Amino acid sequence: MSSPTATRRPFLGLDEKKRFMLALIAPAVFALVFFQIVPIFTGANASFRDWALHDPKRTWVGLKNYLYVLRDPEFLFVVLPNTFGFMAASVGCSLGLGLALALLLNRKFRGRWLVQTVILLPLMVAPVIAAIMIRWMFNDQFGIVNVVLDLFGLAPVAWLTQRWTAFLAILITDVWLWTPWFTLLLLAGLQSLPPEPFEAAQIDAATPWRVFRHITLPMLRPVMVVCIVIRSIDAFRTFDIVWTISGGGPARATEVFSIYAYVEAFQFLNFGRGSAAAVIGAFIIVFFAMGLYRILNRWVEVSK
Amino acid sequence: MTTASLPAPAPRRAPGFFEALAPGGRRMLFLLAMVAVCLLFAFPVLWLGLTSLRPGYAVFYVHRGTDFTLENFHEVLGQQVVLKAMWNSFAISTLATILSLGVTVTSGYMLSRFKGPIPNTWFSLIYVFRCVPYVSWVLPLYFVTRALGIFDTYWGLLLPHVAVHVCFFSWIMKGFFDGIDPSMEYAAMIDGCSRWGAFWRVAMPAAIPGLTALAILCWLYTWNEFLFALILTAHETPILTVVMAQFVHELGMEWHLMSATAVLSLGPALLVTVFGQKYVIRGLKV
């Protein structure tokens, strides 16, 4: 765009176009700075201090909190594996299921709108409510899951009192919540693919599997990359479903990173330590996200 | 099976083993898969609804017996804290939607229409801060809102919510404006319209469908949000999701009341799913 009004006097040495650009983003910048960037720095400041109830002076302690968190076996051997395991399992399962569903829905059939309405439902349900439903269904004494197991003559399982079964319940909730999101995005991707390669494949009598493997999948990759990156970042910071289903228990065995930081800060009331954990987590995910984006991006370019 | 009378789908290849075994079987299989999918995704919600209709004494055996009652809803709606939480959640969601969209629509427009160092910097900032886990800034926000004297008030939850939405929504808004041809805006500017005029009178009306979609989603996100509400509010401003989660931990046994509360709070989600479907699907596309 050329500047149509060059006669206005410059403001801070900026021309009219730049001033317009800055004015457009000013409110968003304001919200971002005051309610995200300032708190992040407050938290970073707190992470270097002994910010706990027993020390009202908030003594500067340097890296003590960081060293504590990085040496805490709970953080290293439970929280980090849980967080990344959960991320990988959740994204992997929802991507696979979402893709399968998208392929099934990518055709015209009667009752399609009904299926689409039903799979839209989990996207609208609050994660807290989904977690409550799962908690109720997996209740060890009265839950429907154990009733069904009983029907098949299997022994009831105390789902939420063991680490791996509780983890499974959390994972099921997350997959239930997010598979529809993958389905919708991948379905939109499928519908926007050009028809020519598929027609060519049909003329060559390619099997459905080979069409999927060599045409659909490569052409869907850009959409899949965006989905995987966004969902991985979100899965890393999962809080509400873990908190509602297991509360990080039994015995902190299902704690993920967000729960760890929250518990350190608000239950053990050691705010400095919670902040240090939060800062460490933020660094991990920002670098992870950038690396993931780069790797997947390269993968897309190679496949072109 | 009565599939013998159904016309088999036009074979594109030589019929495989499966088609030879059961003509039309693929369609049957497809139908079964669809029914299974619907059941899987709807079951938890249906089960919750069923639980909420059971009287307190029968709630532990939802699958047995046929006593149904609306008493749970009556009891829940009689609780002051639930009513208050519903009203607060409603007010916060509505205000947050208005504020967030107002703030991000201009930001998205800017990202879509301009190139150069300023949009690039803004875009990378947004990308980086979108990755920062919520917990990393919601913990200190507790102290920031306390210092500002807005902890446990509407503002104390509203402004952080707007900040949450800034990054993601600017990104989506950029997508909406990318899909709108800018030549009309150039034409308007040649005809003497200012930049603001071109944005407000030409680009905005074209972006209304996208804005509607995002408004619905933003409202639901805020209505469903939990972590910020948990940390940034206390007794003065109860929020529905927090109240429900407390039900689980404190009155762990009262599943019928909990389900009734959950069903009530699902109301808007159900309405949107049924009536706002086409908008929502548009808004979800990144």
Side-chain angles (χ1 to χ4, degrees):
Chain A
M1 284 194 217
S2 65
S3 172
T5 49
T7 48
R8 290 245 206 108
R9 66 199 162 79
F11 168 74
L12 290 175
L14 297 168
D15 61 21
E16 184 265 345
K17 185 176 157 187
K18 286 212 176 85
R19 266 182 287 151
F20 179 63
M21 281 153 81
L22 290 179
L24 283 177
I25 58 169
V29 172
F30 175 83
L32 190 72
V33 166
F34 279 91
F35 291 94
Q36 187 164 6
I37 296 178
V38 166
I40 287 173
F41 279 101
T42 316
N45 178 28
S47 68
F48 291 110
R49 291 171 188 276
D50 206 351
W51 197 310
L53 282 186
H54 60 79
D55 186 1
K57 289 198 299 291
R58 297 172 180 171
T59 326
W60 181 272
V61 292
L63 290 173
K64 191 183 129 201
N65 289 321
Y66 286 91
L67 290 176
Y68 174 87
V69 172
L70 289 174
R71 282 185 194 142
D72 186 2
E74 166 76 18
F75 186 76
L76 288 181
F77 303 118
V78 180
V79 172
L80 282 184
N82 274 352
T83 311
F84 280 99
F86 176 77
M87 184 202 263
S90 154
V91 175
C93 293
S94 346
L95 178 70
L97 285 174
L99 185 59
L101 261 177
L103 289 170
L104 279 179
L105 286 175
N106 189 27
R107 60 175 87 181
K108 285 200 160 48
F109 58 91
R110 266 181 299 162
R112 191 181 132 162
W113 67 271
L114 181 74
V115 181
Q116 204 163 344
T117 308
V118 169
I119 63 165
L120 207 58
L121 193 60
L123 282 171
M124 308 289 121
V125 171
V128 173
I129 295 182
I132 288 170
M133 297 184 304
I134 294 287
R135 214 181 134 116
W136 175 221
M137 286 166 61
F138 281 86
N139 185 300
D140 53 352
Q141 292 173 61
F142 311 107
I144 183 71
V145 175
N146 275 348
V147 171
V148 172
L149 284 185
D150 193 49
L151 272 183
F152 288 105
L154 299 169
V157 178
W159 293 98
L160 300 180
T161 55
Q162 297 160 20
R163 181 180 181 186
W164 294 113
T165 47
F167 206 75
L168 186 69
I170 294 168
L171 190 64
I172 289 173
T173 320
D174 205 62
V175 171
W176 184 82
L177 277 169
W178 288 102
T179 300
W181 185 78
F182 279 99
T183 307
L184 283 179
L185 289 181
L186 293 173
L187 187 59
L190 279 174
Q191 285 168 347
S192 66
L193 295 183
E196 289 85 7
F198 295 96
E199 286 161 6
Q202 208 178 1
I203 290 168
D204 291 346
T207 61
W209 168 250
R210 291 180 67 104
V211 172
F212 172 72
R213 175 74 189 75
H214 295 287
I215 300 178
T216 317
L217 210 52
M219 292 211 303
L220 264 189
R221 269 181 193 173
V223 185
M224 283 166 61
V225 167
V226 174
C227 287
I228 294 174
V229 171
I230 291 182
R231 239 341 264 161
S232 302
I233 296 168
D234 286 349
F236 185 84
R237 61 188 174 199
T238 306
F239 179 86
D240 20 18
I241 60 173
V242 183
W243 185 248
T244 316
I245 290 179
S246 73
R252 305 187 73 181
T254 56
E255 264 185 22
V256 290
F257 149 73
S258 298
I259 304 268
Y260 180 85
Y262 177 82
V263 166
E264 288 291 343
F266 284 96
Q267 291 199 335
F268 301 149
L269 295 173
N270 196 327
F271 195 73
R273 207 176 272 168
S275 298
V279 170
I280 292 170
F283 270 106
I284 293 177
I285 190 61
V286 168
F287 282 109
F288 180 84
M290 293 200 308
L292 189 70
Y293 190 75
R294 198 158 291 172
I295 292 169
L296 291 174
N297 228 358
R298 191 174 302 157
W299 188 50
V300 172
E301 258 148 41
V302 167
S303 76
K304 268 179 192 162
Chain B
M1 282 196 291
T2 57
T3 47
S5 60
L6 287 173
R12 286 177 190 147
R13 299 168 290 112
F17 172 72
F18 196 76
E19 273 124 305
L21 194 71
R26 285 172 73 98
R27 265 177 71 169
M28 215 48 201
L29 208 67
F30 178 73
L31 205 69
L32 279 179
M34 284 296 116
V35 172
V37 164
C38 286
L39 270 182
L40 272 181
F41 282 106
F43 183 78
V45 179
L46 293 178
W47 194 247
L48 190 80
L50 201 62
T51 310
S52 72
L53 292 173
R54 300 286 278 167
Y57 58 85
V59 73
F60 293 119
Y61 297 97
V62 182
H63 52 290
R64 265 188 255 153
T66 48
D67 307 345
F68 292 104
T69 172
L70 286 175
E71 187 52 35
N72 299 331
F73 291 96
H74 189 236
E75 193 173 337
V76 163
L77 287 176
Q79 287 188 19
Q80 206 58 44
V81 64
V82 173
L83 284 181
K84 212 172 154 190
M86 278 190 159
W87 167 247
N88 284 340
S89 282
F90 177 81
I92 297 260
S93 308
T94 311
L95 292 172
T97 305
I98 296 169
L99 271 179
S100 304
L101 290 189
V103 164
T104 52
V105 69
T106 54
S107 154
Y109 179 73
M110 186 276 212
L111 284 175
S112 164
R113 289 293 183 262
F114 294 97
K115 284 193 171 58
I118 302 178
N120 285 349
T121 317
W122 180 231
F123 192 77
S124 354
L125 258 183
I126 283 177
Y127 185 74
V128 169
F129 281 101
R130 159 121 174 84
C131 300
V132 175
Y134 291 148
V135 81
S136 305
W137 41 297
V138 77
L139 296 184
L141 256 178
Y142 174 76
F143 284 88
V144 171
T145 52
R146 288 210 137 189
L148 293 173
I150 54 172
F151 174 75
D152 204 10
T153 65
Y154 276 15
W155 284 111
L157 190 55
L158 202 55
L159 293 172
H161 264 307
V162 174
V164 174
H165 296 146
V166 161
C167 298
F168 194 34
F169 286 6
S170 298
W171 199 354
I172 297 183
M173 291 279 191
K174 175 185 183 304
F176 289 152
F177 284 114
D178 281 346
I180 299 170
D181 185 5
S183 57
M184 288 293 281
E185 290 151 50
Y186 299 146
M189 280 167 64
I190 289 167
D191 287 347
C193 209
S194 69
R195 285 182 192 277
W196 283 107
F199 163 65
W200 187 250
R201 297 207 201 117
V202 183
M204 272 294 275
I208 290 289
L211 278 175
T212 318
L214 206 52
I216 294 176
L217 283 179
C218 178
W219 197 92
L220 271 177
Y221 283 149
T222 321
W223 176 263
N224 290 344
E225 207 283 327
F226 178 64
L227 179 61
F228 280 69
L230 175 72
I231 293 178
L232 299 179
T233 61
H235 301 292
E236 290 298 312
T237 319
I239 296 295
L240 197 55
T241 44
V242 180
V243 170
M244 279 192 290
Q246 278 165 353
F247 268 164
V248 180
H249 287 292
E250 287 164 16
L251 321 161
M253 284 298 161
E254 302 202 47
W255 286 104
H256 53 300
L257 297 183
M258 246 253 349
S259 313
T261 322
V263 168
L264 285 176
S265 85
L266 270 180
L270 292 177
L271 278 181
V272 169
T273 315
V274 176
F275 295 109
Q277 214 184 97
K278 102 181 156 184
Y279 289 108
V280 173
I281 291 178
R282 188 182 301 147
L284 285 168
K285 287 173 188 163
V286 183

